[in-house]
Amino acid sequence: MAENRGVAYAGPGRVEVVDIDYPEFVLKDGPGVHPANVGRQVHHGVILKVVASNICGSDQHMVRGRTTAPEGLVLGHEITGEVVEKGRDVEFLDIGDLVSVPFNIACGRCANCKARRTGICLNVNPDRPGSAYGYVDMGGWVGGQARYVLVPYADFNALRFPDKQQAMEKMLDLTMLSDIFPTGFHGCVTAGVGVGSTVYIAGAGPVGLAAAASAQLLGAAVVIVADMIGERLQQARAFGCETVDVSAEDPRAGIERILGESEVDAGVDAVGFEARGHGEAAAEEAPAAVLNTMMDVTAAGGSVGIPGLYVTGDPGAADEAAREGSLSVRIGLGWAKSHAFFTGQCPVMLYHRQLMKAILHDRVQIADAVNATPIGLEEAARGYREFDRGAARKYVLDPHGLLGTA
């Protein structure tokens, strides 16, 4: 049996690469596994040799100690890999297939899955609707920042690439299909971005940059990206976005400087609950700041897509209300402007096949947009540290050294 190693949460601010069990077609007890899921048979699953698994901002929330994630939890929900074993009930995948895995774990059988709302599957997480690999309170499915990983309900979940050699050549783009590209795209679609739109995207991390590239793909006339880290703003400008440094400029004033008017057609919050204030308050955490800015700068009748993560429990929050996920949101302003708000996990499966084709036919260069940077699995701790410091990079873990052709 092959050796398996994975990236595990080791307490606030720390991850470690440790020896872990090689996957089997059963969910075993371990850090974060819900007791009701222990012993669950997964004959509908496949075991993947992981080709690429990315470090995500959502992982960083856990690593910073901003969730109730237990130590020892194996991280990683952005997974691309090669099928090396298949369960007895898998019909449509074969050994050797190269697949992208949505971060949503979905059964394909429940009412929500049948409605393509795979982010809130009813059957894979005993705690609540919705599940993901390697994530707190998501059922305990082992994460994919590892050499090998189990993917349940594989016929439904896995997206097979049609040409394995072509896929390897474009792997730094295709690995973004598991999460951030569909997530950014979903933020734009739900915000109503289309041909000729003006768009304000809060956050120039990987999801914000993926949203910016998605807005361009959807035909936006002007894409404005806001952040307070100069390197990330420079990355947004590198592929044609306008930018606002909210540590030095009011968002509304920045929009007016760029557009000649102070509101946009569509807003996308790619920051989430660890938001900070603007201007002089930029050093202070203000978890509702971005949501309130979105209502301020989005025109009446517009929509706000919220792919940024908001949580029900934040032990590191500055006040008691925020620890329970209760924020001081100016809902009256949003109501008065007839805004529509769209939240929750992106249903990756709704978009990933079309976005795969856009990549394969060179309609988008998402790896360039997010500055995809491959590193070895054993370098994961360095990747987490640099990402946490604001590096304008999307770190792609390469557990088997297969990305040399990418």
Side-chain angles (χ1 to χ4, degrees):
M1 185 174 293
E3 175 195 28
N4 199 16
R5 286 173 65 76
V7 181
Y9 172 59
R14 295 190 300 120
V15 299
E16 295 177 350
V17 182
V18 298
D19 292 331
I20 60 175
D21 290 339
Y22 185 87
E24 299 178 36
F25 294 109
V26 61
L27 187 54
K28 297 181 177 181
D29 197 10
V33 180
H34 194 286
N37 262 352
V38 174
R40 185 169 182 159
Q41 298 296 305
V42 193
H43 300 298
H44 42 69
V46 296
I47 294 171
L48 298 185
K49 177 181 180 179
V50 177
V51 172
S53 184
N54 316 325
I55 297 175
C56 181
S58 298
D59 298 320
Q60 284 286 19
H61 293 309
M62 289 187 290
V63 173
R64 290 182 186 126
R66 297 300 295 266
T67 71
T68 56
E71 292 186 18
L73 181 73
V74 179
L75 304 170
H77 55 268
E78 301 188 14
I79 305 165
T80 307
E82 179 186 3
V83 177
V84 292
E85 295 185 46
K86 55 187 284 188
R88 71 180 186 206
D89 297 333
V90 175
E91 293 186 70
F92 306 115
L93 293 173
D94 292 316
I95 305 300
D97 283 346
L98 190 60
V99 299
S100 174
V101 181
F103 78 90
N104 324 108
I105 301 173
C107 72
R109 298 159 167 82
C110 71
N112 286 342
C113 284
K114 289 180 179 180
R116 301 185 78 187
R117 304 183 70 187
T118 52
I120 43 175
C121 174
L122 300 173
N123 289 330
V124 288
N125 181 4
D127 275 328
R128 63 181 70 132
S131 187
Y133 302 88
Y135 213 85
V136 61
D137 295 334
M138 287 292 187
W141 300 89
V142 178
Q145 289 176 11
R147 292 173 60 82
Y148 299 90
V149 68
L150 172 68
V151 174
Y153 301 101
D155 279 329
F156 183 67
N157 283 300
L159 174 68
R160 185 178 68 85
F161 299 131
D163 184 310
K164 191 172 181 180
Q165 181 177 346
Q166 181 193 29
M168 285 304 302
E169 291 170 356
K170 292 182 175 288
M171 183 51 62
L172 289 183
D173 294 282
L174 292 171
T175 188
M176 305 306 161
L177 291 173
S178 58
D179 183 356
I180 68 162
F181 192 13
T183 293
F185 194 82
H186 180 63
C188 290
V189 169
T190 55
V193 177
V195 175
S197 298
T198 57
V199 188
Y200 178 84
I201 298 170
V207 170
L209 295 172
S214 298
Q216 293 175 339
L217 187 61
L218 287 163
V222 182
V223 180
I224 302 169
V225 179
D227 205 288
M228 52 186 67
I229 298 176
E231 184 182 356
R232 289 184 167 183
L233 293 172
Q234 183 178 356
Q235 180 64 25
R237 289 192 294 271
F239 61 99
C241 300
E242 302 287 348
T243 60
V244 177
D245 180 351
V246 292
S247 69
E249 185 175 25
D250 176 76
R252 198 174 177 93
I255 292 169
E256 186 160 16
R257 169 178 56 80
I258 294 164
L259 297 180
E261 55 187 6
S262 58
E263 292 183 330
V264 294
D265 300 318
V268 179
D269 173 3
V271 177
F273 74 104
E274 288 194 69
R276 297 188 177 276
H278 302 140
E280 294 180 358
E284 301 173 6
E285 191 164 300
V290 172
L291 290 173
N292 288 328
T293 292
M294 284 296 162
M295 288 182 276
D296 185 34
V297 304
T298 302
S303 297
V304 179
I306 309 174
L309 175 67
Y310 289 87
V311 293
T312 56
D314 175 10
D319 59 66
E320 193 60 39
R323 290 187 191 104
E324 298 179 350
S326 297
L327 309 181
S328 298
V329 176
R330 294 185 63 195
I331 193 64
L333 176 60
W335 190 94
K337 296 176 79 171
S338 293
H339 284 156
F341 301 90
F342 295 87
T343 65
Q345 287 187 31
C346 164
V348 169
M349 208 174 293
L350 193 61
Y351 308 107
H352 67 172
R353 188 175 301 276
Q354 300 95 312
L355 295 177
M356 174 187 72
K357 292 178 182 178
I359 289 169
L360 293 178
H361 293 281
D362 297 317
R363 293 298 305 275
V364 63
Q365 285 73 45
I366 190 65
D368 287 344
V370 302
N371 197 13
T373 304
I375 60 175
L377 182 70
E378 303 295 330
E379 297 179 83
R382 175 177 68 84
Y384 270 94
R385 285 194 304 272
E386 293 179 3
F387 187 35
D388 190 50
R389 293 169 186 156
R393 297 178 180 274
K394 176 68 171 177
Y395 286 101
V396 179
L397 298 179
D398 181 8
H400 293 276
L402 298 174
L403 298 183
T405 61

